[in-house]
Amino acid sequence: MREIAEIEQALRRAAPHRLVEVVEDALRDSGVLRVELRMADYSLRTLQLVGPASGADPSLPINDSPQGRAFGAQEPHVDRESGALRLHLPVTVRGDRLGVLTAELPPGADVGALLPGLAQLSEALGHEILVAERDTDLYVLARRATRLTLAAEMQWQLLPGRSCARPEFALAAHLEPAYAIFGDNYDWSVSDGRLTLTVTNGMGEGIEAALLTNLAINALRNARRAGLPLADQAALADQAVYAQYRGEAFVSVLLLCFDLATGEVEAVDAGSPRLWRQRGQSVESVGFEAQLPLGMFEDTVYVPERFSVRPGDRLLFGSDGVYAAVSPAGESYGDRALARALRGTRLLPPTHVPQAVLRELAVHHGGGPLEDDALVVCLDWHGTAAIVAT
């Protein structure tokens, strides 16, 4: 195999839509016969082929395919079915699972010798895909198994990613219906020893809800990037929404700022998103003093509250489309079923938890379509070495 540094340089120089071709060209001298890239779709149910089908199935299920096993486990998977030798490698960037790179090899190839280089190449490809998306629709189009509504298009373009991992924490989120969301959203940023996380629900439906949420999220980002404290971030976004809608529309949001060194958390509860904490086998709702949603009244003053997280804690955030969904018997999902679902997913990594909780929600709701869009965010807190030592 050519030197990884040389291949990385070739990827940087390549036209953004030719990244897979560059990888395939670079691997030919190692005996690789063919290369295939698949992106996870917005619903996280299928892996979609990037580029022309050329005889390959354009869509494969994540839950029942060799490529899906590599994606789900986040580990290389060797596939010897149909007499061919294929190596499937997850394409992941800083914890955000993008898809799977497949390399087809001669039957007698030394997989062990090729694996380290191919794994490194998959990571480099992931980084280049994120850069290339500024200039081409190829990879964005590959993420969709069907057409997005305009509201959903706006919301997905606003999101930072679907998962993120650092030594101190790992988090993941999922939205349903993935191709028709409108008001629910989330955002995060990690810098200067802090994680800022927001869980948002804009009132209304369709385009109106998406526009409202876009305004609130960008106002919060503008305030955060200006270095304002958490309460002032909420106040600035509140003013922006009120100035536009004059109280006729508002945004519910839960804002949190985690100190990565200590586990101390500052929170502002401005509306409907809620938080549950699992510590060991105990699951409890974490309540805050309710404050007004953003944009309801002019010049609202927000007051932060504080709590702490410990290594091993799992936090689950849900929009009202999750906890308020009712069963055919009239029981809200947040009453008891959500806590059961959280306990039942304790051994799953956080990237798997939001979908699992939403699947349980669908069962609880009776299997029919939900009446509102639904958002789940899962955060596992690892803490720093100093915290763990104490």
Side-chain angles (χ1 to χ4, degrees):
M1 183 186 299
R2 286 160 51 185
E3 292 292 332
I4 293 297
E6 182 183 348
I7 301 175
E8 289 179 344
Q9 289 178 3
L11 285 170
R12 294 191 195 101
R13 292 193 300 265
H17 61 281
R18 292 197 63 250
L19 298 181
V20 179
E21 296 174 48
V22 170
V23 170
E24 190 167 59
D25 290 344
L27 294 179
R28 281 204 178 97
D29 60 359
S30 300
V32 173
L33 305 176
R34 189 173 64 88
V35 167
E36 180 181 281
L37 174 64
R38 293 179 180 271
M39 306 291 288
D41 89 304
Y42 288 111
S43 69
L44 289 178
R45 293 184 176 91
T46 62
L47 290 167
Q48 303 291 122
L49 186 66
V50 176
S54 63
D57 192 333
S59 180
L60 294 174
I62 287 178
N63 289 335
D64 188 26
S65 66
Q67 292 88 337
R69 284 192 280 275
F71 182 82
Q74 286 294 285
E75 294 179 354
H77 176 74
V78 178
D79 174 17
R80 299 181 184 274
E81 296 180 6
S82 304
L85 174 58
R86 298 184 181 91
L87 180 59
H88 307 295
L89 302 109
V91 178
T92 302
V93 180
R94 294 178 178 171
D96 194 8
R97 304 178 301 164
L98 303 182
V100 173
L101 177 69
T102 296
E104 185 174 335
L105 306 168
D110 186 349
V111 175
L114 291 171
L115 184 55
L118 287 173
Q120 191 175 348
L121 178 57
S122 294
E123 183 177 357
L125 176 61
H127 282 274
E128 292 305 318
I129 287 172
L130 294 184
V131 175
E133 284 182 344
R134 299 181 305 179
D135 302 314
T136 179
D137 285 337
L138 177 65
Y139 309 101
V140 174
L141 288 172
R143 285 187 168 95
R144 55 195 69 190
T146 188
R147 184 173 178 175
L148 293 171
T149 65
L150 179 54
E153 185 88 49
M154 295 167 64
Q155 293 291 57
W156 281 107
Q157 290 300 309
L158 191 63
L159 295 171
R162 282 186 291 213
S163 51
C164 176
R166 280 189 46 153
E168 300 90 350
F169 68 87
L171 67 86
H174 193 61
L175 291 149
E176 289 288 352
Y179 289 86
I181 57 172
F182 39 89
D184 287 1
N185 204 284
Y186 58 86
D187 193 26
W188 63 67
S189 176
V190 187
S191 59
D192 297 329
R194 294 183 180 277
L195 163 68
T196 302
L197 173 65
T198 60
V199 183
T200 309
N201 182 6
M203 68 172 289
E205 298 181 357
I207 296 297
E208 291 78 9
L211 287 169
L212 177 61
T213 303
N214 267 258
L215 173 61
I217 291 290
N218 280 293
L220 288 167
R221 287 174 175 171
N222 179 256
R224 184 185 73 223
R225 291 164 183 170
L228 299 182
L230 198 68
D232 291 343
Q233 294 175 30
L236 187 146
D238 171 69
Q239 293 168 13
V241 175
Y242 185 83
Q244 184 67 30
Y245 293 94
R246 312 305 296 181
E248 295 181 1
F250 53 85
V251 180
S252 296
V253 60
L254 179 60
L255 298 90
L256 302 106
C257 184
F258 295 77
D259 188 312
L260 298 181
T262 66
E264 295 298 312
V265 187
E266 188 177 42
V268 172
D269 182 355
S272 62
R274 293 185 184 175
L275 165 62
W276 286 260
R277 176 175 59 206
Q278 181 168 24
R279 184 169 286 169
Q281 286 299 313
S282 173
V283 176
E284 61 178 344
S285 176
V286 179
F288 304 102
E289 181 179 346
Q291 302 182 66
L292 293 173
L294 307 182
M296 183 169 282
F297 296 103
E298 190 173 12
D299 297 327
T300 303
V301 176
Y302 293 95
V303 179
E305 299 178 66
R306 289 173 174 80
F307 68 101
S308 299
V309 286
R310 302 175 186 171
D313 281 356
R314 168 167 285 178
L315 305 181
L316 189 88
F317 306 85
S319 66
D320 58 358
V322 176
Y323 64 79
V326 295
S327 69
E331 180 184 5
S332 295
Y333 188 58
D335 291 345
R336 293 178 298 177
L338 189 148
R340 288 198 300 268
L342 193 50
R343 291 190 190 96
T345 57
R346 187 70 184 96
L347 298 180
L348 294 178
T351 49
H352 290 61
V353 172
Q355 273 189 295
V357 171
L358 288 170
R359 282 195 297 269
E360 290 298 319
L361 169 62
V363 174
H364 174 86
H365 188 62
L370 297 174
E371 298 174 2
D372 194 1
D373 49 353
L375 163 64
V376 173
V377 180
C378 180
L379 170 65
D380 278 8
W381 187 258
H382 308 313
T384 65
I387 295 176
V388 175
T390 59

